[in-house]
Each structure stands twice: as C-alpha cells, then as structure tokens.
Amino acid sequence: MMLEKQSVVIAGGGSTYTAGIVMMLIENQDKFPLRKLKFYDNDEDRQNIVAKACEVIVKERAPEIEFSATTDPEEAFTDIDFVMAHIRVGGLSMREKDEKIPLKYGVVGQETCGPGGMAYGMRSIPGVVELIDYMEKYSPDAWMLNYSNPAAIVAEATRRMRPNAKIINICDMPVAIKKSIADIVGLESESDIVDRYYGLNHFGWWTEMTDKQGNDLMPKLKEHVAKYGYAAAEGEGNPLLEENSWMDTFQKAKDVYAVDPTTVPNTYLKYYLYPDYVVAHTDPNHTRANEVMDNREKNVFAECERIAAAQTAEDTTIEAGEHAEFIVQLAGALAYNTYERMLLIVKNEGAIVNLADDAMVEVPCIVSKRGYEPLCMGKIPHFQKGMIEQQVAVEKLVVDAFEEKSYQKLWQAMTLSKTVPSASVAKQILDEMIDANGNWWPELN
Ligand code: NAD
Ligand code: G6P
Ligand code: MN
C-alpha cells in the first residue's frame, strides 16, 4: 500500500535530540515516508550546527525529502502535518540554576521534579503555547507531539490555555524503562510488552505487564527489581545506563519498588520517596545539567560539526534511540490509523476512576487517525491516590501562579511538593528563583 507522505517540523531544531530523530525518520521511510522535513528554533546559530549536519545526512540517505531550517515561524509552520516539539526555554544554563538553587537548601534539584521543575514550568509554558499558536495559524489540521518539559505542567497549562489544540504531550521514560524490562524478562523489544500503567508524568506505576501472548511478566520482573531495580544483574543493557547518574536511578528503583511491591514504579518516583538520599548523593556544584553540557551536548555538536566539515555522515555515531522511536511511532499511528497502544499524557476523564476528571494523567491510549482514546485503569489504592492528588495540586498551583502572576500560588505549590520540607524553605527557594529567572518568568505579585 502506498502511504501518503508527511511533512514534519522539528521545533527546537538545535536540540541535542534532533539528529537522533532525523536518523529515526530516515530509517522509517517505509513506515512513515516524508515529503518535507523542516527545523525551527529561535536560536539560529545553535540550530545551524545541527541543521548543517542533518542536511548532509538527508542528502546522503533520503534525497527525496525536501529539507530546510528556519527561524521564521511562518516558513516553519506552513504546510505541516506534524510538529515534533522539544524546546528547552532558558536552555541548559537555566536548567543548571533549577537544579542548584534547591540543593543549597537541602532540597532535590531536578529538571522536572520539585522546585526545579516548577521553575522550568514557569519558563516553558509561554514557549510551548507560542508553538501551538504558530501551528494553529499556519497548519490548523496538524498534530503537535510535545516532548518539551516539564511535560506534566506543560500539559496542564495547554489543557487550560488552549483546550482545543491538537497537542499530545509525551514522555520517553516509560519506553526507556520497558526497554530494560524487555532485557530482564528476555523479550526482544519493548514493543512486545503490553502494559497497564497509571499516574502522572514522571509519577506513575505499572500494575500489569504481559507479553503479546498474554503471559504474565510481573513475577519474573518483580523478582529482578527487588534485587537490582531496573539495572541488569551484570550491569549492562540499556544504553542510558552507560552514565552513572542514570545507572543509580535505575538501581534505586529497587527501593522505590519496596514501598509498594504490588506494582512496579517509574524511576522518577525516587525524587519523591527518597529525596534525602537523592540530595545526599548529588554534588551541589556539579549537577545533571553540567553532565549533559559536558557530555551529550558536547558530543552531539562535535559530531554534527564533523559531519558538516566532512560533507558525509557515512560513519556517523549518531543513533536513533527509544526517544526518537517513540515519537515517530506515535506520528505513524496518527497518520496511518494503526490503533497502537501507547502511554500518553491526557485528560483523566475517568481513566483513573477515583481521580478528578481534569487531572492530566499518563495512561495507555489507543492511537489512530481519530487521535487517542485513553483506556480505563480502574480505581487506584490509597497510597498512590494520596501521592498523585498532592502532586496534581502542585502542578495545578504552578499553572495558577503563571496565569494569575501569583507569588502566593507559587509559594503554595513549592510548599505542597513532597520534595520540600516546609513553607519557610519553599519561600527561600522561591525568592532566589525569582531573581535567577528574571524575565523568563512573568512578574509575580
Ligand atoms: P537543548 O537545550 O539542547 O535544545 C532545546 C532547543 O530548543 C535549543 O536549540 C533552543 O534554542 C530551543 N528553544 C528554546 N526555546 C525556544 C523557543 N521558545 N522556540 C523555539 N526554540 C526554542 O535541550 P535538550 O536537552 O535537547 O532537550 C530538549 C527538550 O526535550 C527539553 O525540554 C527536555 O526536557 C525535553 N525532553 C523531554 C523528554 C520527555 O520525556 N518528555 C525526553 C527527553 C528530552
Ligand atoms: C528522560 C525523561 C525526560 C528527561 C530526560 C532527562 O528521558 O523522560 O523527561 O528530560 O530523561 O535526561 P538528561 O539526560 O537530560 O538528564
Ligand atoms: Mn519524560
């Protein structure tokens, strides 16, 4: 069957993940053929580093695709079927502040969890909303698939501020975890796993996992997680785990699991259940942002510059990982009506029966041309319900604070977070973050 060709814009063309997505798109020309591929970014120099390399890659491997890079929204968003978005408003230098400021007060400093995630949310909301507006203006029928973090807060903000927008907020963490799980239980691929999962973004639990034949994978998996977390017994497996900080996170899942052995957890729950451990094991002068700047950013850009100089990508080390695989698979399901089952961040509306309808939850959905249809995960127990409701309130308070420009609401949000010990600590962190964020945030009153 001839598949209709698609036109895609990658927003955040200068992202460290863009080249990987391009590799995945090219490898998938039989399943998701492209007529056009565009990059859009508001930082021309940064985007050009990646674009100059990707131009070579496209010319070499899929010359039939029309490739371009621009900072002009009209050019970028005109005649588009999909926006694949992964912007980082404020860049890695602001991520560094999100992480380091809370740590000064003995609080978790993390990209998406705790006060750091809230600070990032306040910056990210207007950036993502602007992308939606460009899409609706120039290609009103397009879908936006959004990785831009903090996805939970962004999802709540876009639900409220652009309720009819065709945006789907997504996260690659469950896919990355399932990749390790597939190794653990002896399956070839994470797509061989059928799962039931509920929660919020970076805040959820699996209740069931089977293979495609319906065989229960949980007993074997739990036995492993109780000993090693999601790390392999011999310490190999998922390429993410080549980095020590991710290895620690995957191993720590063992202790997260111990709190509720009826489920298996998302790795991000370590920040809420073991914040004291996380703080004790973080160097406050060298956080994850520094690691990313020293490693991923440096390596990806060096490789891009090498390709551009050589004018060939024949021997490139750029790889398409699960991050790229997931977003391309989602676009394919929407374009070609595949009815695949995927975890997406969507309005609850009964998916978790005993949780408010207007919470943005992460649950399995069936994806087709009609969009996504969430599956009902039933009622959840007291422990998860209590944690989730607290975290939903935090995320809603951040969006309240953004919309109302309210100091009070942001202070309440930080105070309510399970990562913060008291209102006074919350206030000190907030005051320092207001200074650090300057014009990236609305002025609070
Ligand atoms: P990065 O800083 O390398 O790239 C982000 C790009 O966005 C930069 O080129 C920057 O110039 C651009 N940008 C910033 N603000 C913009 C705006 N308003 N309009 C257009 N472009 C803008 O960041 P990265 O490490 O590659 O990560 C990119 C994003 O993807 C981050 O938000 C990260 O958290 C997110 N991410 C999410 C998931 C997920 O599971 N949801 C997974 C991986 C990465
Ligand atoms: C996972 C999460 C993303 C997060 C990323 C951070 O992929 O799902 O939401 O942005 O990890 O990774 P990093 O390597 O930048 O710390
Ligand atoms: Mn994520």
Side-chain angles (χ1 to χ4, degrees), residues 11-18 40-44 46-47 50 85-93 95 111-112 120 123-124 126-128 130-131 134 146-151 169-174 201-202 268 292 296-297 301 323 345 440:
S15 155
T16 56
Y17 293 96
T18 295
Y40 168 74
D41 204 291
N42 63 2
D43 180 338
E44 188 171 13
R46 188 182 176 95
Q47 171 162 271
V50 183
H86 52 201
I87 60 170
R88 185 187 290 288
V89 179
L92 285 161
S93 63
R95 174 178 179 176
E111 181 195 23
T112 62
Y120 186 15
R123 292 196 301 278
S124 208
V128 174
E130 184 178 69
L131 298 181
Y134 290 147
N146 182 54
Y147 266 135
S148 313
N149 267 322
N169 293 289
I170 54 171
C171 174
D172 62 8
M173 196 72 247
N201 179 235
H202 292 182
Y268 274 91
V292 172
R296 187 172 70 237
E297 186 181 41
F301 285 7
H323 174 88
I345 303 162
W440 290 113

Side-chain angles (χ1 to χ4, degrees), residues 8-13 15-29 32 34 37-39 50 54 57-58 65 83-87 145-147 170 172 300 318-329 331:
V8 168
V9 61
I10 301 183
S15 155
T16 56
Y17 293 96
T18 295
I21 293 179
V22 170
M23 295 301 277
M24 180 58 69
L25 285 167
I26 288 175
E27 285 166 22
N28 273 271
Q29 282 308 288
F32 188 74
L34 292 182
L37 175 60
K38 304 194 230 184
F39 286 5
V50 183
C54 289
I57 298 174
V58 173
I65 302 172
V83 180
M84 296 186 177
H86 52 201
I87 60 170
L145 313 182
N146 182 54
Y147 266 135
I170 54 171
D172 62 8
V300 169
I318 293 173
E319 281 179 2
E322 66 271 356
H323 174 88
E325 195 178 319
F326 183 48
I327 196 166
V328 173
Q329 193 188 358

